[in-house]
Amino acid sequence: MGKVAYGFTSSIDGFIAGPGHDMSWMSAAEPLAEGTTQRMAERVAVIISGRRGYDAAIAMRDERDELTAEPYGGAWSGTEFILTHRPEDLADDPSVIALNCDVREAIKRAKAIAGDRDVQIISADIARQAIEHDLVDELQVSVAPVFLGDGVRIFDVAGGHRVDWEITEIFSDSPRAFFRTYRPKRRT
């Protein structure tokens, strides 16, 4: 069976998007080794995104570069769920499935489609909710050498919420990209 992963590239100061979901800073990220992005994309059957990120991507589609215009820079194909309280607003976009449900139901549906492949969460808010319900099996972390100062934080919980992780893999073929994977420490 596949896993549920929260994957992201972050700035050094802990943001996965700039103000207004700006992604132009991603040009500062170091490249991964040849074939890494394709290999990762092949493992993912379903992506779960949030409505704010979706809206920002649509609004900025003409400004985004090849890397940020599509998941995995266009190397991925599969099913994309957009969690929204207004799914009817996305009825004209055949490239996504809009869902109005909680994160547990969305992940359950995604896993049914994914089979032995992975479900990838690319929304900080959805990932936070999934982590609170113990539904994330893996973090996939890459760090870009840039400070943003503001934007969408990797993990933002008012009052704090500690979650310990242990490293499972270091992508040694991409040392400048600082790419690592982690799993929750609670799992054995």
Side-chain angles (χ1 to χ4, degrees), residues 13-91:
D13 55 346
F15 295 97
I16 63 168
H21 280 81
D22 174 57
M23 298 302 290
S24 64
W25 61 274
M26 286 285 291
S27 62
E30 296 286 346
L32 296 171
E34 183 76 27
T36 301
T37 300
Q38 180 66 34
R39 190 172 61 250
M40 291 174 56
E42 288 171 355
R43 288 188 249 176
V44 177
V46 181
I47 288 177
I48 301 176
S49 305
R51 179 63 189 265
R52 286 184 298 250
Y54 171 86
D55 287 346
I58 296 297
M60 293 183 268
R61 106 175 88 213
D62 295 335
E63 302 165 28
R64 290 200 171 191
D65 61 14
E66 183 178 300
L67 177 67
T68 62
E70 298 179 63
Y72 292 96
W76 175 79
S77 65
T79 302
E80 184 171 7
F81 288 167
I82 306 295
L83 297 190
T84 176
H85 295 294
R86 300 178 321 275
E88 64 280 357
D89 292 355
L90 305 183

Side-chain angles (χ1 to χ4, degrees), residues 138-150:
E138 182 176 88
L139 287 181
Q140 299 166 345
V141 181
S142 180
V143 179
V146 61
F147 282 134
L148 296 179
D150 193 10

